[in-house]
Amino acid sequence: MASCVEELHFSHIHIPVTIDQMIPVLPAGPIPAVHGSRLYLSNLDNMIGARVFTPTVYFYKSNYMSSNRKPVTKTLCDALSRVLVPYYPLSGRLREASNGKLEVFFGQEQGALMVEAHSDMGLAELGDLAVPNPTWAPLNYRFPNEEPYKVLDMPLIIAQVTLFACGGFSLGLRLCHCICDGIGAMQFLAAWAATAKTGTLVTNPEPCWDREFFQPRNPPTIKYRHPEFMRIEEGSSLTMSLWKSKPVQKCYKVSQQFQAQLKSLAQPNDMLGCSTFDAMAAHVWRSWVKALDVKPVDCELRLTFSVNARPKLKNPPLKQGFYGNVVCVACGTSPVNNLIKGSLSETSRLVREARLSISEEYVRSTVDYMEIDRPNRLEFGGKLSITQWTRFSLYESADFGWGRPSYAGPIDLTPTPQVCVFLPDGSAECSGATVVCICLPDSATHKFTEFFLCLKDLISNDESERKLL
């Protein structure tokens, strides 16, 4: 069964990149905002976890130097300029209002930023383009001396086209998470790509701002504990073991066959069952905690993950084309000992319960909680956060006219080592596999691989449980 999970490796390389020009990109036509205009951002947009830029990169092996090819940078700039008319909030800037919340402001500095660069390397020299690689960082533009997590007074779209000597190119994209969640980002990206490919503005669906949809209630009504936001004093060795030394990013390609067997083994002993995500998240969490040898074993740990709340909103429903943040953070908790010695089915039940707890009322309670007690710092105590990118149309949304990207996704997880990402398999075979990326201390990588690949113990435990029923 281990053959159904392949450990992926990336090359440790230096990519020489030369910046050739910086191009401000303004909307191509009139927009419904003037100098001094402000736009409201919801409490979901204002979550501390959204106050970041999400960096991604897209690789294209097509030969941009061919005589019948469109010039890459000009094509992308022209299309972005057109798309910024209906998506005009992305041409503004973020500033902090008097109440401490962020808002979009239209002042002297406006527009997106496009950076054109080149490298004397060829794409083939970058190694395997199937897995995130921290050494790709030069393909995403950062301002000199840019502070970590800076979002105020920054372009909300920062794009870098890097032209490689072989004729291929990359598009590095930094999109402000305060403006859109993953699904909203894919909606914007698809519009930009379709506009570049056709040469005419394409928006399907039409973008909808409407952040007032998530106005807090008067008075705010908090109906849940919201453990996802609670500050927990670190009582275990987990966080210290991750942050005291530089973590290592490990990636695994998990086949559909492995996921199906894992899901079968993870089914709780009730009538509700569990999803593939429940099973995968439970297995990753257990393997991670075992590999880190967390002490003491009675310490409570948290697993958090984002849930798309769009399907939950029915009274009233969201308007089509809404591209803001509509995610709630689900949270499951368990003592270390239960994760180490308990069954996979018990842990998958915890994940399922956390996932199903996100309801329309939970969304409204989250909005109200943020109104009264908005966290101002990220909490890492005893926590693993899983981000599920498999639900995003990363590859399908990114055909700008040069075909499907050979890779689409994040670059580096190590700045936030308590995050695990599930990515879609970008291979041409479209195998349905999932790429799991996670950070660990170098000393724990071998143990994690051993626990993650081996289903033998899970199978024997599962059979023992069934005999007791």
Side-chain angles (χ1 to χ4, degrees):
M1 196 63 195
S3 62
C4 294
V5 178
E6 175 189 359
E7 184 176 350
L8 302 175
H9 302 277
F10 52 82
S11 305
H12 297 272
I13 54 174
H14 169 68
I15 306 176
V17 171
T18 302
I19 302 296
D20 297 315
Q21 57 177 327
M22 313 269 285
I23 309 166
V25 182
L26 297 171
I31 61 173
V34 297
H35 189 280
S37 292
R38 298 178 298 171
L39 290 174
Y40 175 80
L41 286 171
S42 78
N43 284 350
L44 298 181
D45 297 320
N46 267 278
M47 280 190 186
I48 188 65
R51 294 189 177 200
V52 295
F53 279 89
T54 303
T56 52
V57 68
Y58 304 81
F59 289 103
Y60 299 88
K61 296 182 179 179
S62 301
N63 187 355
Y64 69 85
M65 296 185 294
S66 174
S67 59
N68 64 343
R69 287 288 182 181
K70 297 179 290 185
V72 175
T73 306
K74 185 177 187 309
T75 299
L76 292 177
C77 282
D78 289 349
L80 181 56
S81 182
R82 291 190 183 100
V83 169
L84 282 179
V85 175
Y87 283 94
Y88 71 94
L90 283 162
S91 66
R93 296 290 185 271
L94 292 183
R95 73 174 186 181
E96 203 165 80
S98 57
N99 61 4
K101 293 183 182 182
L102 299 181
E103 63 183 11
V104 179
F105 178 74
F106 295 85
Q108 290 184 340
E109 294 293 327
Q110 289 189 43
L113 176 64
M114 178 69 74
V115 177
E116 184 179 73
H118 74 272
S119 175
D120 293 332
M121 294 180 71
L123 284 178
E125 298 175 72
L126 302 187
D128 189 358
L129 297 183
V131 57
N133 188 336
T135 61
W136 294 342
L139 305 179
N140 257 310
Y141 183 75
R142 294 183 64 88
F143 290 97
N145 303 315
E146 181 182 326
E147 298 173 9
Y149 306 112
K150 177 178 170 62
V151 294
L152 299 181
D153 303 314
M154 294 273 285
L156 301 178
I157 302 171
I158 303 171
Q160 177 180 320
V161 173
T162 304
L163 308 174
F164 289 89
C166 62
F169 68 94
S170 65
L171 172 63
L173 185 60
R174 297 176 67 201
L175 196 58
C176 185
H177 202 329
C178 294
I179 306 299
C180 49
D181 60 13
I183 290 175
M186 291 303 101
Q187 178 183 308
F188 165 76
L189 184 69
W192 183 14
T195 299
K197 189 173 184 178
T198 62
T200 59
L201 178 62
V202 178
T203 52
N204 183 24
E206 287 292 323
C208 170
W209 182 254
D210 195 22
R211 304 304 163 100
E212 289 77 13
F213 182 93
F214 291 109
Q215 285 272 13
R217 292 172 288 199
N218 188 15
T221 307
I222 302 171
K223 294 188 176 181
Y224 300 89
R225 290 179 55 249
H226 293 286
E228 65 272 22
F229 299 124
M230 289 182 180
R231 184 173 184 182
I232 296 179
E233 294 299 327
E234 180 61 86
S236 74
S237 60
L238 188 150
T239 304
M240 181 62 70
S241 66
L242 282 167
W243 289 86
K244 70 180 179 182
S245 60
K246 184 173 175 58
V248 177
Q249 181 173 296
K250 303 293 286 184
C251 299
Y252 306 85
K253 183 176 179 179
V254 184
S255 70
Q256 276 189 317
Q257 181 186 356
F258 185 95
Q259 293 177 68
Q261 184 167 358
L262 190 66
K263 180 180 177 181
S264 175
L265 293 171
Q267 294 301 318
N269 297 319
D270 57 31
M271 300 298 292
L272 295 178
C274 73
S275 69
T276 300
F277 172 79
D278 298 336
M280 287 280 286
H283 185 48
V284 167
W285 192 19
R286 284 160 47 88
S287 301
W288 190 67
V289 171
K290 289 178 183 178
L292 292 173
D293 193 23
V294 180
K295 298 287 191 294
V297 295
D298 61 347
C299 187
E300 196 86 358
L301 301 184
R302 288 183 292 179
L303 175 75
T304 62
F305 52 94
S306 295
V307 174
N308 172 27
R310 285 169 174 80
K312 312 289 184 180
L313 301 171
K314 301 185 184 301
N315 188 29
L318 268 177
K319 293 178 183 177
Q320 188 179 22
F322 185 90
Y323 59 99
N325 285 280
V326 199
V327 293
C328 274
V329 181
C331 181
T333 62
S334 174
V336 173
N337 197 50
N338 288 9
L339 295 171
I340 295 172
K341 297 185 177 179
S343 67
L344 175 64
S345 60
E346 290 172 355
T347 309
S348 70
R349 179 180 54 79
L350 292 176
V351 178
R352 182 192 68 194
E353 288 175 354
R355 175 174 57 82
L356 294 179
S357 71
I358 305 300
S359 61
E360 184 162 22
E361 180 54 42
Y362 200 96
V363 176
R364 294 296 176 186
S365 181
T366 299
V367 171
D368 291 351
Y369 183 97
M370 298 286 289
E371 186 68 13
I372 294 174
D373 187 16
R374 186 173 64 254
N376 57 11
R377 53 171 284 177
L378 291 170
E379 293 295 337
F380 296 106
K383 185 168 72 173
L384 174 66
S385 294
I386 294 180
T387 302
Q388 190 180 10
W389 287 38
T390 50
R391 63 182 185 225
F392 303 151
S393 53
L394 282 166
Y395 291 88
E396 296 79 6
S397 297
D399 182 356
F400 290 85
W402 294 278
R404 187 177 186 270
S406 52
Y407 173 83
I411 293 175
D412 187 6
L413 275 63
T414 55
T416 50
Q418 287 172 248
V419 171
C420 172
V421 179
F422 292 177
L423 295 170
D425 174 29
S427 63
E429 299 81 22
C430 297
S431 63
T434 294
V435 176
V436 174
C437 301
I438 195 165
C439 292
L440 296 151
D442 189 50
S443 59
T445 56
H446 178 74
K447 285 184 178 178
F448 177 83
T449 302
E450 180 181 313
F451 292 133
F452 187 62
L453 267 62
C454 183
L455 293 183
K456 182 179 179 182
D457 292 340
L458 300 179
I459 294 171
S460 59
N461 287 344
D462 182 68
E463 288 176 346
S464 299
E465 281 192 2
R466 293 183 192 281
K467 288 177 181 177
L468 294 172
L469 294 177

